[in-house]
């Protein structure tokens, strides 16, 4: 028999098996060091899962690192990290793991409703956040995303995204034990915990970065560090600039080292070098540590950027997917209840490539987000409909996370070809949307502000809260009751759509109070340069008290938004048609309207949204073709609607129609 050393001709499934067999004795010794006998159920379960996933994991790692002379060494490290993580996992989490292995679609339920917040701005610290659980329950939140809460560098830390230690909580917020206690309380309350895995970069004061700064060659290889600008400028030819207002280009000269470091985001956020298998394992260790604090879902921050290759955009490369799949398999083996959520705010074709049960089970839906705002500005839904008609459907076992605002800016990430297909010039349209949402366009209702305005290209993204972008700030300034009414309707319209369109709705906390922009961020030098802080205000707990008082005008406005949202959440959670993803757009001729049907296990609901400030009609025939019979009940108004004539939809009204 002829054997070859050409990797392409290797039988990788066989090599996987052989490698595991070769490592068996050493792994056995490792188990014994942890005092886990072969017959221990914990070990038996692990080995079953390893059997199931090893071959695939091996092949992915081989793809990334198989050409390294020390591949087998790193494999052994990977396996030890997995064993140790599972063995040290809290039995309460292992119990959840077992349930989720049997119910892998748990996150597709209509009962999942998300909220995201900054611990310091919401409750000051983790201890006090535990006391806020009744608040989440009252609103109906069952998924809680806490913005990065690990130790960060002093000064500007990009809202927690410049992490100096993944194993300690920012002392201002608490300790790892506080985090575990919170996670346990949330679990008890039926709320799942979502944390970031900020794995594209560390802070420049992380111990690995410090070691590199001290000249340690092993740790220099953890990052992309170059002696001079030559190689960086070769990369630069094909790279985008993510933070052009911070610094031109993607590299930063570090004065201490006299060398250039890859910094896609801020200059103090050093991109990790995943072509080095030591980085893969080091970050795997950090990932599983975070998971073991009691996290249900990890948000993979800036996932598009994690692999670099000369001559490419260094975004969305195939190896980035391979890497995430490898991490996903590690999670399947060591922390099987854990899900990944993709944060890829990129072209819609690229967004979906991360979404797969074996990659990221859930993903932000930036295209829907941008197009809902687009429809609000244009009062037309053609681009939204066009885009969703071929982009909403996802593989089974996955889900969209639908949101309107988050801690970041809004970028107009729709597909140019979708725009062209309906006669819209994408470039001009983005200029229009920027002008509209910064309030420059005549008649605009929005008070947003530019983020990362690139003077060279004229590009920008938009910062602002839901309420300010939807017109409430302007309405209050003008003290105009009609404008206030319209702004509130816009907010509830969009929120009702993310609650009903299929997937996990995610509120950015503060939306429930119609929180306005907070311009005070400019007073803090660590924040002044980043306009995203305008939509990161502090929670005002006095609002909660106001709910039960008889009210001033402003209070009643907030109360109305809170109560309406709370009610919509309650209705969503009681309607099984809103589970999972199935969504059929309704063809109808009125381009101010947006209508679709949700179906799940024999339940059906029709959703109709009017994006215009005038009442619109829809023919009863269109509705009847969906076979519900002649009468519907609108769950949101509790009104019964006959379909023998046209139905009328109020300005900016949303309807959830079920069979009467
Ligand atoms: C992510 C975060 C954003 C941050 C960036 C760098 O996109 O959402 O806030 O600035 O990554 O970590
Ligand atoms: C870019 C990145 C995204 C990041 C955002 C921050 O859009 O793609 O990952 O969150 O910038 O503004």
């Amino acid at each position: 028999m002829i054997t070859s050393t050409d990797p392409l001709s290797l039988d990788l499934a066989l090599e996987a098996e052989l490698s595991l067999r070769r490592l068996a004795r050493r792994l056995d010794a490792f188990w014994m060091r942890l005092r886990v006998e072969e017959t221990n159920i914990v070990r038996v379960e692990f080995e079953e899962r390893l059997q199931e996933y090893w071959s695939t994991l091996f092949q992915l790692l081989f793809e990334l690192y198989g050409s390294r002379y020390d591949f087998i060494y790193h494999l052994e490290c990977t396996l030890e990290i997995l064993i140790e993580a599972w063995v040290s996992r809290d039995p309460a989490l292992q119990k959840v793991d077992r349930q989720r292995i049997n119910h892998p679609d748990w996150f597709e339920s209509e009962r999942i409703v998300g909220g995201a917040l900054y611990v310091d701005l919401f409750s000051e610290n983790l201890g006090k956040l535990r006391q806020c659980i009744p608040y989440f329950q009252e609103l109906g939140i069952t998924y809680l995303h806490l913005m990065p809460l690990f130790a960060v560098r002093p000064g500007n830390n990009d809202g927690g995204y410049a992490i100096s230690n993944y194993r300690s909580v920012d002392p201002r917020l608490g300790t790892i034990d506080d985090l575990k206690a919170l996670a346990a309380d949330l679990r008890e309350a039926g709320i799942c915990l979502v944390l970031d895995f900020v794995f594209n970069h560390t802070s420049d004061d992380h111990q690995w970065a410090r070691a590199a700064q001290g000249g340690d060659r092993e740790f220099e290889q953890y990052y992309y560090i170059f002696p001079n600008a030559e190689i960086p400028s070769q990369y630069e030819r094909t790279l985008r600039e993510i933070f052009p207002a911070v610094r031109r280009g993607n590299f930063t000269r570090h004065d201490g080292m006299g060398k250039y470091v890859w910094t896609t985001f801020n200059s103090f956020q050093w991109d990790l070098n995943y072509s080095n298998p030591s980085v893969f394992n080091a970050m795997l260790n950090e990932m599983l540590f975070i998971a073991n604090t009691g996290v249900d879902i990890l948000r993979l921050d800036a996932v598009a950027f994690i692999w670099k290759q000369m001559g490419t955009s260094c975004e969305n490369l195939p190896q980035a997917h391979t890497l995430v799949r490898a991490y996903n398999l590690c999670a399947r083996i060591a922390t099987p209840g854990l899900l990944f959520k993709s944060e890829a705010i990129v072209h819609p074709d690229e967004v979906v490539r991360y979404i797969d049960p074996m990659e990221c089970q859930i993903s932000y839906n930036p295209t829907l987000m941008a197009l809902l705002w687009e429809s609000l500005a244009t009062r037309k839904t053609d681009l939204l409909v066009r885009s969703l008609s071929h982009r909403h459907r996802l593989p089974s076992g996955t889900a969209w996370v639908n949101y309107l605002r988050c801690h970041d800016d809004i970028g107009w990430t729709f597909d140019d070809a979708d725009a062209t297909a309906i006669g819209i010039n994408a470039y001009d349209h983005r200029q229009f949307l920027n002008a509209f949402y910064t309030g420059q366009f005549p008649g605009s209702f929005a008070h947003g502000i530019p983020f990362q305005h690139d003077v060279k290209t004229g590009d920008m993204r938009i910062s602002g809260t839901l309420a300010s972008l939807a017109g409430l700030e302007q309405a209050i300034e003008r003290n105009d009751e009609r404008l206030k009414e319209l702004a509130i309707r816009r907010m509830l319209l969009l929120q009702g759509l993310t609650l009903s369109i299929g997937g996990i709705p995610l509120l950015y906390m503060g939306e429930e109070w119609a929180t306005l922009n907070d311009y005070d961020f400019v007073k803090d030098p660590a924040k002044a340069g980043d306009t995203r802080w305008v939509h990161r205000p502090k929670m005002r707990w006095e609002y909660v008290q106001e709910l039960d008082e008889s009210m001033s005008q402003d209070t009643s406005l907030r109360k109305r938004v809170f109560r309406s949202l709370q009610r919509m959440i309650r209705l969503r959670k009681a309607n099984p048609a809103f589970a999972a993803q199935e969504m059929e757009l309704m063809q109808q001729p009125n381009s101010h309207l947006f209508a679709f049907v949700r179906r799940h296990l024999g339940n059906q609901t029709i959703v109709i949204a009017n994006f215009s400030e005038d009442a619109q009609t829809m023919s009863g025939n269109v509705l009847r073709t969906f076979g519900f019979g002649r009468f519907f009940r609108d769950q949101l108004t509790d009104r019964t609607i006959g379909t023998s004539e046209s139905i009328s939809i109020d300005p900016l009204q949303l309807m959830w129609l079920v069979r009467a």
Side-chain angles (χ1 to χ4, degrees), residues 158 161 198 201 243 265 269 299 301-302 343 407-408 532 536:
D158 192 18
Y161 285 98
V198 184
H201 44 260
F243 282 176
F265 296 91
Q269 289 164 306
R299 171 190 181 278
D301 181 60
E343 192 251 342
H407 67 290
D408 279 333
R532 290 175 296 174
R536 298 171 179 175

Side-chain angles (χ1 to χ4, degrees), residues 262-314:
W262 198 312
T263 55
T264 300
F265 296 91
N266 291 286
S267 296
F268 50 79
Q269 289 164 306
W270 288 22
D271 288 48
L272 284 162
N273 175 3
Y274 281 94
S275 72
N276 176 357
S278 297
V279 170
F280 178 91
N281 278 335
M283 286 304 286
L284 173 63
N285 230 331
E286 304 310 78
M287 177 180 103
L288 298 175
F289 174 84
I290 298 172
N292 275 349
T293 61
V295 174
D296 298 281
I297 302 175
L298 280 179
R299 171 190 181 278
L300 301 195
D301 181 60
V303 64
F305 300 91
I306 55 172
W307 197 273
K308 334 275 189 201
Q309 193 179 308
M310 181 67 82
T312 72
S313 67
C314 298

Side-chain angles (χ1 to χ4, degrees), residues 62-96:
F62 187 87
E63 209 178 302
L64 297 175
Y65 307 118
S67 61
R68 298 269 310 208
Y69 81 92
D70 51 359
F71 180 56
I72 189 86
Y73 163 77
H74 291 290
L75 270 188
E76 184 181 344
C77 295
T78 306
L79 283 162
E80 289 183 359
I81 292 168
L82 298 180
I83 293 171
E84 202 159 10
W86 170 247
V87 170
S88 58
R89 193 159 165 83
D90 187 321
L93 298 177
Q94 293 179 332
K95 192 171 145 210
V96 177

Side-chain angles (χ1 to χ4, degrees), residues 393-638:
R393 191 178 305 260
L394 288 180
S396 76
T398 67
W400 286 118
V401 175
N402 299 313
Y403 66 113
L404 301 166
R405 295 300 298 112
C406 68
H407 67 290
D408 279 333
D409 46 286
I410 302 177
W412 306 111
T413 59
F414 56 82
D415 174 44
D416 290 9
D418 282 340
T420 310
I422 54 166
I424 291 177
N425 175 303
Y427 178 84
D428 294 347
H429 202 52
R430 288 195 180 92
Q431 300 285 325
F432 157 73
L433 290 167
N434 283 331
F436 190 92
Y437 280 106
T438 52
Q440 306 296 311
F441 190 81
S444 165
F445 50 74
H447 274 201
I449 53 178
F451 176 65
Q452 297 296 325
H453 185 195
D454 185 335
V455 281
K456 200 172 66 185
T457 60
D459 252 7
M460 67 169 78
R461 282 128 52 198
I462 303 293
S463 292
T465 64
L466 173 68
S468 288
L469 294 176
L472 192 60
E473 194 177 323
Q474 186 193 68
I476 290 174
E477 270 172 22
R478 298 192 186 167
N479 198 16
D480 182 323
E481 292 309 313
R482 195 186 74 92
L483 295 184
K484 285 185 199 169
E485 176 65 28
L486 292 176
I488 290 178
R489 286 185 180 209
R490 286 189 197 101
M491 295 174 60
L492 296 174
L493 178 81
L494 295 195
Q495 285 171 327
L497 284 170
T498 54
L499 282 164
S500 60
I501 200 164
I504 300 173
L506 178 59
L507 308 175
Y508 180 55
M509 301 303 284
E511 282 175 14
E512 73 278 28
W513 299 111
T515 307
L516 301 177
N517 286 348
D518 178 358
Y519 299 94
D520 275 354
F521 73 97
V522 293
K523 294 182 188 154
D524 180 343
K527 297 180 175 170
D530 188 332
T531 64
R532 290 175 296 174
W533 287 101
V534 83
H535 56 246
R536 298 171 179 175
K538 243 180 127 120
M539 168 71 177
R540 304 266 298 270
W541 287 97
E542 62 270 25
Y543 293 167
V544 184
Q545 266 102 58
E546 289 173 2
L547 277 181
D548 299 317
E549 290 163 13
S550 58
M551 278 128 302
S552 70
Q553 265 185 12
D554 280 4
T555 312
S556 65
L557 208 144
R558 283 193 289 272
K559 181 169 173 173
R560 175 167 160 209
V561 172
F562 185 93
R563 291 291 183 217
S564 309
L565 183 59
Q566 183 186 41
R567 179 159 176 272
M568 285 197 290
I569 292 173
R570 209 182 311 125
L571 289 170
R572 165 187 158 105
K573 288 162 95 177
N575 186 346
F578 288 153
Q581 283 294 139
E582 193 185 323
M583 189 278 288
E584 185 187 344
L585 291 165
M586 274 170 71
Q587 301 303 328
Q588 52 80 35
N590 184 335
S591 66
H592 299 300
L593 298 179
F594 175 50
F596 55 84
V597 189
R598 294 295 319 283
R599 290 193 190 86
H600 186 65
L601 303 178
N603 303 284
Q604 284 201 94
T605 299
I606 293 181
V607 176
I608 304 174
N610 177 5
F611 275 82
S612 123
E613 283 98 344
D614 297 311
Q616 301 293 324
T617 55
M618 185 190 259
S619 114
N621 279 332
V622 175
L623 287 174
R624 270 199 309 278
T625 53
F626 284 86
F628 282 44
R630 294 195 19 247
F631 291 95
F632 292 95
R633 194 169 54 80
D634 174 19
Q635 292 199 307
L636 296 174
T637 55
D638 256 331

